[in-house]
Amino acid sequence: MDKFRMTGLSFIKTNIIAIASFIIALLCILYPVCDGLEFLFLLPLSFGLSTFIFPSAHSYWKSNIGFILIFASMWVKYLITPALMTISHSTVDTLNPSPAAFRLSSFVAVFELFVTLFIIQHLWQRHLKKTGI
């Protein structure tokens, strides 16, 4: 019975993350911050999609402090930062990158997210099999 309850809680958590991600992505699409950040919506959108593509990787955050730090930084980078940039309608004033650099950084961040979650999911599963947990 506990396994069913955990699956239900995991399903609810996944849907809450996905809904929040899609709302933030929609916010980023409707209110672009500046020239070059047209693809800022990809960060929360990819984070929401990653909860369905790598569901077990997202459940490992309870395993150790390293995963807690990784997933906390992912929440900040992929959900909180785009939302705050859109709401405040500003970026960091001390940096003046070109619009092309902003566009490239969005794609690099999405690539980084999927590679990180892929590695976490596959290596941690191998570790769990080795230790017999």
Side-chain angles (χ1 to χ4, degrees), residues 55-91:
S56 58
H58 280 276
S59 67
Y60 295 147
W61 69 269
K62 298 174 266 188
S63 299
N64 63 30
I65 190 72
F67 285 146
I68 291 172
L69 294 174
I70 288 172
F71 284 107
S73 68
M74 283 184 183
W75 273 81
V76 169
K77 183 175 184 174
Y78 295 100
L79 292 179
I80 297 170
T81 301
L84 290 178
M85 286 174 67
T86 302
I87 290 168
S88 67
H89 204 69
S90 66
T91 61

